[in-house]
Amino acid sequence: MMDALLYSSLLGLVVWITVAFLRKQRDNPKRLPLPPGPSKRPVIGNLFDIPDDAPWVTFSSMAQKYGDIIHLKVLNQHTIIISSMEAASDLFDKRSAIYSDRFQSVMLTELMDMGWSFGLMDYGDMWRKIRKIFHQYYSASTIRQYDGLQLENVRVFLKRLHATPEKFFDHSRFVFAALLMNVTYGMHIEDEHNEHLVEAEKWQHGFNQAIQPGRFWVDYLPILKYIPAWMPRANFKRLALQWRQNMYHARDRPFDGAKADLIIGTATPSIVTEALESIADSPDKAEQELLTRYSLGAAFGAGVDTSAPTLQLFFYAMLTYPEIQTKAHAELDRVVGPSRLPTMDDRPNLPYVEAILKEVLRWKPVTPLALPHYTATSDEYRGYYIPKGSIVLGVSEIFIDCLSFTTCTEHIQECLASLRFVFVISLEFALIIPNREMLHDPVEYPCPDQFRPQRFLNPDGSLNPDVPDPSVACFGFGRRICPGRFLSLNSLFSAIAAVLHTFTITPALDQNGKPVEVELRMQSGMIPHPEPFPCSIQPRSLAAEALVTN
Ligand code: HEM
């Protein structure tokens, strides 16, 4: 009996090794080496080489040691770190069919049941269908119809800033959360305690944890998903269950509420109601409705967590560069005047404010690693073997490195010395744009660590179309480019113009009446957020105060 067991185990082992060997032969017939990288420990590989906090900092220093294409392996998961424009362009642009999939995280897609989200889906038919619906309602030509709602939400934002300026971080988040709920589901969110908002924020928090490669072991060792949630150390299972419930609530209740209101004729017009009406007579109505639910369900998570930190960084920029604020005030006074708020119709006449928005997006992009991509098949590149199913990341830490350089000359020298890192603000950049258009390329953007909106302007103050527009680059490129970018740019412009028109942002004062110096710190995560900092936000004048409060 024991012998039979031993023999069958040995046979099983031999079959397993043979299959693994043949598969390797098939995928890598030339027996090419993997790209270089730090040495791997037995079984766990580079598990302890990837920190939870700010992994791009580590990736960046690894790139200095190993070059612009690095291989890491954690348990059985290959990860390729790309850190040059040349490599990124070759892979993500020229071979986009191979490099456009997403990493199918067990934690996200299975345990949190987020496989429906097209932002996480592999490139394919389902992705195409759902993205098409999204595009229908958030495209450049559609979003202008939300201008009115946008202004309404910005008015609330200004009132909140006036009432509790010290909470400007929360208000900066709330304005986008409320806008997206408003536009998408027709909901009017009164405050942060709204139950749908609370659930959406919890889900978002979980998503941010789970999207970070290496954050949960189960992504490297999928068998762990079978561990029962009650077991000690199965915290990830309990968290996933909680976040999954938050997700169901946030995705479905607002949708179902709008649908129910539509049936009884009391619905506030919104994207959901428009979409449901458009498919009312469709033969495959049930399927269309499900796809619509999935499509719109992606907006909140993708939109709030990116737009909010961008607005928070705007406050930091204004605090740090008061002379820029003064120039923006002058433009707004001249174009808009004291008796009304700026509207989207003013936008073409406010090039300086437009340049401020561009510079905020360029200065500190909030998606330094974009979203991880995944290889659909194995590939050969520069004589290296890139295994099928590798996570492929671009390192963009250079923008943080740049901040530490104080003078322009020093900065340029350093950036030029490490130019390959300049090229990797996001791996998606490589899909379309050439080197010269990188966000911190010191040739295109001299002194890139400095906040200088005027870099986008001609001497006569008009926008200079020859300066590469960072709003294109920071939203990714190619097949996966951010489909919410039009709404995002409009709403960011609206909020920034309104704040500049009505408030002055200055350093907060300490107990002795001295200005508090602020050192910006970024929190870790795939979408690093600025840590809260103090500042004073006061109405610019009595007329401005009246505009805010009336
Ligand atoms: C400052 C604001 C924003 C930034 C910086 C940003 C940036 C990005 C980036 C870098 C990607 C990944 C692109 C890629 O993988 O190549 C992305 C994807 C996405 N974004 Fe945005 N985004 C912003 C706002 C928004 C808003 C407001 C929405 C919704 C209305 C949105 C919806 C999405 C969706 C659904 C995806 C997934 C697309 C896909 O995988 O096909 N984003 N975004």
Side-chain angles (χ1 to χ4, degrees), residues 38-109:
S39 56
K40 280 102 190 143
R41 293 181 186 87
V43 186
I44 59 170
N46 300 109
L47 183 68
F48 297 118
D49 296 328
I50 307 175
D52 284 354
D53 286 346
W56 51 88
V57 179
T58 305
F59 294 155
S60 193
S61 49
M62 279 182 190
Q64 293 186 37
K65 189 164 175 195
Y66 299 105
D68 63 349
I69 174 159
I70 300 168
H71 174 257
L72 296 170
K73 193 172 181 191
V74 175
L75 300 173
N76 211 26
Q77 177 62 57
H78 296 278
T79 301
I80 306 291
I81 312 293
I82 299 295
S83 61
S84 78
M85 179 62 182
E86 186 195 347
S89 174
D90 287 346
L91 302 182
F92 301 112
D93 184 8
K94 296 173 190 151
R95 305 181 194 183
S96 60
I98 298 178
Y99 291 87
S100 288
D101 276 3
R102 291 284 195 224
F103 169 53
Q104 294 306 307
S105 146
V106 176
M107 184 68 179
L108 277 171
T109 53

Side-chain angles (χ1 to χ4, degrees), residues 351 457-463:
L457 300 172
N458 290 314
D460 68 358
S462 59
L463 282 170

Side-chain angles (χ1 to χ4, degrees), residues 410-423:
E410 266 177 20
H411 170 81
I412 288 178
Q413 282 167 2
E414 293 286 347
C415 279
L416 284 172
S418 59
L419 206 52
R420 63 173 181 272
F421 306 113
V422 179
F423 291 153

